[in-house]
Amino acid sequence: MATDIDQNILTNIKSILRRDLKLGPASVIPDDMPFFGGDVDLDSLDMLLLVTSLEKQFGIKVPNEAVGKEVFQNVSSLTRYVQQQQQSGTAASTTAPAPKIDWLSLLPHGEGFRFVSAVTEVRPGQSAIGVWQLSGKESFFAGHFPGRPIVPGVLIAEALAQLSGLTAPEGVASAGKLAHVDVRFEQPVAPPVQIELKSTLTRMIGPLQLCEVTASVGQTVVARGTITLHRE
């Protein structure tokens, strides 16, 4: 017998769909609306962002093998899956720390475009921590607010993206490319400074790798958000 649909979960899922797929707050979403081949045809990035929202909203973990056309057949099938996961209390799996490796040497960036000075911890398939040390004498400061140097936010985002490459399950940074950046800068950073970089892998769908990232100076978070890499 089919599981009765929880109307509260159904309503919340439809709200997430309207927001993440940019359907508009007044759009009508039928319970049997398909996610593939219809008016809404999800691509890999849509799936990545949607699954991440579902996990945050409902406190569940959606394993990669569950992300497919069976679960995402339509809105009702997705609702039933979320219900089952909440009822079973699915927990995220953990990965043991990796042995010590010269992670910095594995970054696919040359010294002229490497914005990570040291990698202090990597847990393959889980997270990475590093630092970017700036003296204030770097060439880009000459033209970025001359006389009042500020670390360019775009380079902080690039540093976080470079570190994120090390969170891959195999623990080796690939020659991935940025697919999506959503980073908020909370306050300016002036040199000389050491910026602590943190990246946590939250989802992989096909070639896409989504990471939650933060950049901090001391105890103060100066930037936070998400980085999506397209791994080759």
Side-chain angles (χ1 to χ4, degrees), residues 32-145:
D32 60 352
M33 184 189 77
F35 289 108
F36 301 97
D39 293 337
V40 174
D41 194 7
L42 299 186
D43 60 22
S44 296
L45 183 57
D46 291 330
M47 288 279 285
L48 187 63
L49 298 176
L50 179 56
V51 168
T52 301
S53 293
L54 292 169
E55 290 183 334
K56 289 182 178 179
Q57 176 71 28
F58 297 106
I60 62 173
K61 185 68 177 178
V62 183
N64 289 337
E65 60 269 19
V67 182
K69 293 190 177 182
E70 183 176 346
V71 170
F72 284 85
Q73 180 179 353
N74 55 45
V75 177
S76 293
S77 65
L78 176 58
T79 302
R80 290 192 178 93
Y81 180 80
V82 171
Q83 285 179 229
Q84 292 167 1
Q85 295 306 299
Q86 284 195 321
Q87 292 167 3
S88 63
T90 300
S93 61
T94 58
T95 304
K100 288 189 178 298
I101 299 173
D102 183 6
W103 296 107
L104 192 63
S105 68
L106 298 178
L107 290 175
H109 310 90
E111 291 188 9
F113 200 78
R114 182 187 296 159
F115 304 116
V116 180
S117 304
V119 178
T120 57
E121 178 184 296
V122 173
R123 294 174 179 264
Q126 188 172 349
S127 62
I129 300 174
V131 296
W132 184 20
Q133 188 79 43
L134 297 109
S135 66
K137 297 180 181 179
E138 290 78 7
S139 60
F140 52 78
F141 284 123
H144 194 256
F145 295 97

Side-chain angles (χ1 to χ4, degrees), residues 186-199:
E186 307 207 343
Q187 67 178 54
V189 179
V193 67
Q194 176 175 287
I195 304 175
E196 183 179 43
L197 311 167
K198 293 184 179 180
S199 178

